[in-house]
Amino acid sequence: MLKNEEGRRQTMIHELKTVFSKKMLIISLIAVMFLPVIYSASFLTSMWDPYGKTEDLPIAVVNEDQEVELEGESIHIGEEIVAELKGNDDFEWHFVGSDEAHAGVVKGDYYASITLPEDFSSNASSLLTDEPKEMALDVETNPGYSYSGKSIADQSILAVETAVASEVRELYTEKVFETVNDMNDGYKEASSGAGELADGAEQLAESAGQLGDGMEALAAQAPSPLAAELEKLIEGNKQISQGIDELGSGSASLSDELSAASEEISAYAFETANAKLISEPVEVNKETVTEVENYGQSFAPYIIALSLFVGAIAFSTIYPFRTRDRESTTLLIWWGSKLSVILAQGTFQAALLAVFILKVLDIPVENLGSFLLILFVISNTWMFILSVLVAAFDKVGNFLGILLLVLQLGASEGTFPIQLTNGFFQAVHPYSPMTYAIKALRESIFGFEGNVPFEQALWILVAILLAMILLLGAVYYFRFQKERKTASELAKRGAAV
C-alpha cells in the first residue's frame, strides 16, 4: 500500500515535470501568472487619483459681465469672480474670449467653458427690486470627447456657482446691514429729537400756565366787558395747555419707544464680519468610517478580483485540462496531477499580485493576513471554475468563462452601488461569486465589517472552491470511464480482426 501511495505521489509530480519539460508551455504559464499584475497595473495606475489631479484639467472662463451701479456703488461681480478663480488651484483656469472657449471645448482643449454674460452684475443688482432677475451662467461641455472628463469638469461649474452665490449673499447681506445700521442711527436721532420736543412742551406748558394765571388775575380787576373777553382767552389758553401736555406726553412716549427699538437693534451686530459669516453660515464636519486615500485605492478590490479572473481565463486557454499523461493510470492520479498544476498556478498568481499591490502600489491594508488568505482563495476559486468549464466543454468552456465574467461585472457591485443597476443585475447579485470576493477584499483592505462579514464571504468562496475541485473530479471520472469504454471497444474489434 505504501508503495502504491508513493507511486501516486511520483505520478502527480510527474505532471509538474511534464509541464516544465515543455519550454513554450512553461513560458506561457509564467507569462499568464503576471497577467493579473499587468491588468491591475494598467487599470489602477491609470485611474489612481484622477480627482486629485483636477488642477491639471483645463477649464475656460469667459467674462463678458458689464459694470453697474447699486446705491451709488460700482458693482462688477464678473471681475470679482475672475479674481477669486485666479487664486483657486482646484482646476487649470483659462480666461479667454467666447470664440476661443467654444473652439477649445469642441477640440477637447477645454473640458468645459463657463461664461459670465454681460447682464450678470445687472441681474445681481435687481435682486432686491420688485422685478428680480436670475443670474445665469452659460456652460458648454463636450461629453462625447470625454464623459469622465466632463463629469469631473462639472465640479468646476459647482466651484464657480459657489463663488457667485457667496459673493452675492455677502453683497446683499452687507447692503441690508447698512440699511439696518442707518435705521438704528435714525432711531437714535429721532429718540433724541422726541426727548427734546417733550422738554420743550413741558416748558411751554409751564409758560401757558403762568399766562393763564396772569389773565385770571387781570380778569378779576377788569370791567365786565373786558373781563368776559379775558375769560374766553383763559378758556382758550387752557385748551392750548391741554394740547401742550398731550404733545409732551406723546413725545416722551415716542422717545421711549424709539430708544427701546434702538436698544433692541443695538443688541445685535451688523458688521462686515457678520455679513461674511451669514453668506457662508454652515461648516460641514465630516467623519468617515474608513480611510480611502484616492480613487485607485477605492477601486482596488474590484480590479484585483477582475484581474485574477482574467488570469484564470488566460490559463484555461493554454493548459491542457483534457489530456491525460501516460502515467496517469487511475482516475485519482489523473485528477490529483491536474490539481497540483492548477493550485500551483493559482497560488503563484495570487502571490505575484500580492507583492505588486503591497510593495509597488503600496496600498495600505488593514488586515494583512485576511487579505493574503482571501487573495489565495479567490485566485484558486477562479482557476477551478475555468478548469471545470474547459475540462467539460473544451473551447466552449472558455466562452462560458468569459460570459460568466461579463455577467459578474454588472452584478458584483464593483463600481456603482447595486441599487443603481437594473432589476436583472440586482437579482443576480447575491449569486455572483465575485460579489463575495469584492466584499471580502474591501473589508480586509479597509478594515470594516459590511453587510456580508469577511468570514461569511470567505466560507462562501471556499465552498465554491471545494465544489469546483470535486466537480473537476466528476468531469475526469466521466471522461475516464468514456476512455476506458472506448479502449475496450477498440480492443474487442482488434481481437475480432
Side-chain angles (χ1 to χ4, degrees):
M1 183 165 179
L2 288 174
K3 195 180 238 182
N4 288 338
E5 280 296 323
E6 182 64 25
R8 289 193 186 101
R9 281 198 296 270
Q10 289 297 326
T11 308
M12 290 179 190
I13 293 172
H14 185 269
E15 178 76 14
L16 292 173
K17 289 181 178 179
T18 302
V19 170
F20 279 101
S21 67
K22 299 176 180 178
K23 290 183 179 180
M24 287 307 300
L25 179 59
I26 192 62
I27 291 172
S28 299
L29 292 179
I30 291 174
V32 166
M33 283 183 193
F34 282 93
L35 189 59
V37 172
I38 297 169
Y39 194 89
S40 296
S42 62
F43 267 87
L44 291 178
T45 54
S46 66
M47 64 170 66
W48 189 247
D49 194 15
Y51 288 97
K53 296 180 179 293
T54 58
E55 71 273 9
D56 297 327
L57 198 72
I59 305 294
V61 177
V62 181
N63 180 25
E64 298 179 341
D65 183 37
Q66 300 295 315
E67 184 179 342
V68 297
E69 292 247 336
L70 177 64
E71 296 182 1
E73 293 184 18
S74 296
I75 303 297
H76 201 170
I77 292 179
E79 278 191 358
E80 293 174 6
I81 297 303
V82 167
E84 186 170 335
L85 292 179
K86 285 181 178 178
N88 183 310
D89 295 329
D90 292 341
F91 291 89
E92 185 182 294
W93 307 102
H94 293 257
F95 304 97
V96 297
S98 58
D99 292 340
E100 183 180 340
H102 173 71
V105 170
V106 172
K107 294 177 182 178
D109 295 335
Y110 305 125
Y111 286 87
S113 75
I114 304 170
T115 301
L116 288 81
E118 60 181 16
D119 61 357
F120 205 68
S121 291
S122 175
N123 290 346
S125 66
S126 72
L127 294 181
L128 292 182
T129 66
D130 293 336
E131 296 182 358
K133 297 177 182 178
E134 190 174 47
M135 301 168 68
L137 288 173
D138 297 331
V139 177
E140 188 176 35
T141 59
N142 185 3
Y145 179 80
S146 173
Y147 189 83
S148 59
K150 177 262 180 190
S151 299
I152 298 174
D154 286 344
Q155 301 299 315
S156 70
I157 301 166
L158 180 61
V160 175
E161 283 184 281
T162 302
V164 170
S166 176
E167 192 70 36
V168 172
R169 281 196 301 267
E170 186 175 336
L171 171 67
Y172 279 93
T173 305
E174 286 181 351
K175 290 297 178 186
V176 171
F177 281 8
E178 286 175 9
T179 303
V180 172
N181 285 326
D182 290 343
M183 286 174 56
N184 191 28
D185 292 340
Y187 284 159
K188 289 177 180 178
E189 291 178 6
S191 176
S192 176
E196 292 174 0
L197 182 60
D199 292 340
E202 185 178 348
Q203 292 174 3
L204 187 58
E206 290 178 2
S207 299
Q210 292 173 359
L211 178 61
D213 292 342
M215 285 191 292
E216 286 179 358
L218 183 60
Q221 299 174 5
S224 295
L226 182 58
E229 292 298 325
L230 286 171
E231 285 293 336
K232 291 179 181 179
L233 289 173
I234 290 169
E235 187 61 30
N237 184 64
K238 286 181 179 179
Q239 292 178 357
I240 291 172
S241 295
Q242 184 178 356
I244 291 172
D245 288 338
E246 290 176 357
L247 174 63
S249 176
S251 298
S253 176
L254 176 61
S255 178
D256 291 340
E257 290 177 5
L258 290 172
S259 179
S262 178
E263 288 178 5
E264 188 172 344
I265 292 175
S266 297
Y268 300 95
F270 297 94
E271 306 300 331
T272 302
N274 303 96
K276 288 182 177 179
L277 184 58
I278 288 175
S279 69
E280 297 290 341
V282 179
E283 179 182 352
V284 179
N285 297 316
K286 294 182 179 180
E287 290 187 10
T288 57
V289 176
T290 57
E291 293 295 328
V292 180
E293 295 180 357
N294 49 55
Y295 196 69
Q297 187 181 348
S298 69
F299 258 83
Y302 172 61
I303 298 301
I304 290 170
L306 174 58
S307 64
L308 289 172
F309 205 103
V310 170
I313 290 175
F315 173 68
S316 69
T317 63
I318 295 171
Y319 184 67
F321 294 99
R322 295 167 66 87
T323 61
R324 180 161 61 96
D325 189 88
R326 58 183 176 80
E327 295 193 25
S328 299
T329 54
T330 67
L331 170 64
L332 185 60
I333 293 175
W334 188 17
W335 181 41
S337 63
K338 296 297 182 182
L339 289 184
S340 64
V341 175
I342 299 168
L343 282 170
Q345 184 75 15
T347 301
F348 281 114
Q349 176 180 266
L352 287 171
L353 186 56
V355 170
F356 176 75
I357 294 295
L358 297 172
K359 299 299 182 182
V360 179
L361 291 183
D362 195 24
I363 293 179
V365 174
E366 283 291 321
N367 301 310
L368 183 59
S370 298
F371 175 72
L372 295 175
L373 174 61
I374 199 64
L375 208 61
F376 166 81
V377 171
I378 293 170
S379 180
N380 282 289
T381 300
W382 297 169
M383 284 289 180
F384 277 97
I385 288 175
L386 268 298
S387 300
V388 169
L389 291 174
V390 175
F393 306 108
D394 200 15
K395 297 298 182 184
V396 176
N398 288 113
F399 171 75
L400 294 175
I402 295 171
L403 193 63
L404 178 61
L405 173 61
V406 172
L407 184 65
Q408 292 187 106
L409 293 181
S412 61
E413 201 178 20
T415 51
F416 298 103
I418 193 63
Q419 292 83 359
L420 302 182
T421 61
N422 61 39
F424 172 76
F425 287 119
Q426 290 184 30
V428 173
H429 176 69
Y431 306 102
S432 166
M434 195 171 286
T435 294
Y436 303 99
I438 293 172
K439 287 182 182 292
L441 283 167
R442 282 176 178 157
E443 293 183 27
S444 63
I445 291 174
F446 302 120
F448 69 99
E449 184 173 298
N451 52 13
V452 178
F454 176 85
E455 292 78 9
Q456 181 181 343
L458 174 64
W459 285 117
I460 289 172
L461 292 172
V462 168
I464 295 172
L465 172 59
L466 295 175
M468 290 299 109
I469 291 174
L470 293 174
L471 197 54
L472 182 62
V475 170
Y476 284 144
Y477 170 77
F478 286 112
R479 287 187 56 78
F480 193 77
Q481 294 298 327
K482 184 178 179 181
E483 287 182 11
R484 290 182 65 180
K485 183 178 180 181
T486 302
S488 177
E489 289 176 354
L490 289 175
K492 287 179 181 179
R493 287 176 188 174
V497 172

